[in-house]
Amino acid sequence: QVQLVESGGGSVQAGGSLRLSCVASGRTFSRYVMGWFRQAPGRERDFVAAISWSDGTTYYEESLKGRFTISKDNAKNTVYLQMNSLKPEDTAIYYCAGNMHYISSAPYEYDSWGQGTQVTVSS
C-alpha cells in the first residue's frame, strides 16, 4: 500500500489562505490518483478535489472550484491543495487519499488515506 503524510493545516481568519501538502511513499503506479476530502464534526466525508499522477488531469467539487486548487510535484511525490478566500464553513479535518483506479469523488474508491490535518477558519 501507499503511505500518505499530510501537513499544512492550522488556524486562519476568514479570507486567509492555507496550502496543504501530502507526501506519498511506498508503492505507486502510473495510474495512481490522489484526492483531497474533508470532514466536519457530525458530517460525512466530502470530496474536495483529485488529480492524476500521470497526466495531471484534475477534478473539483464544483462549489469549491476557483477557491481551491490541486497540484502535484512528481519529483517530490507530493500533492498540494491551495485554499484561498477561506470561510468558516471550510473548517474541517482535511484528508489526503489515493487510489489505483481512476479519478473519483467517492471516498470508497480510495485505498489509502492520510491521518488528516485540521483546518480551522475563524470569523
Side-chain angles (χ1 to χ4, degrees):
Q1 72 280 6
V2 176
Q3 283 72 49
L4 305 174
V5 180
E6 301 160 298
S7 62
S11 298
V12 297
Q13 293 182 328
S17 298
L18 284 173
R19 190 180 201 184
L20 307 183
S21 299
C22 177
V23 180
S25 62
R27 192 174 184 180
T28 58
F29 304 90
S30 297
R31 300 175 67 180
Y32 208 70
V33 172
M34 299 289 290
W36 288 96
F37 293 78
R38 66 184 186 180
Q39 187 168 23
R43 299 193 123 270
E44 65 182 2
R45 191 165 297 184
D46 295 324
F47 174 74
V48 175
I51 189 168
S52 171
W53 277 117
S54 58
D55 60 15
T57 300
T58 59
Y59 178 48
Y60 292 91
E61 164 60 38
E62 284 297 325
S63 65
L64 301 177
K65 192 172 184 178
R67 291 199 299 122
F68 289 12
T69 303
I70 189 170
S71 62
K72 64 181 179 68
D73 186 333
N74 289 42
K76 296 181 179 180
N77 295 321
T78 301
V79 172
Y80 305 96
L81 182 68
Q82 179 68 45
M83 305 185 294
N84 298 324
S85 301
L86 284 164
K87 307 174 182 179
E89 295 76 34
D90 296 319
T91 295
I93 300 174
Y94 284 71
Y95 296 91
C96 177
N99 75 64
M100 295 183 286
H101 309 292
Y102 42 77
I103 291 180
S104 174
S105 62
Y108 64 79
E109 298 282 5
Y110 290 78
D111 309 299
S112 302
W113 293 84
Q115 77 285 354
T117 183
Q118 177 71 48
V119 172
T120 302
V121 184
S122 60
S123 59

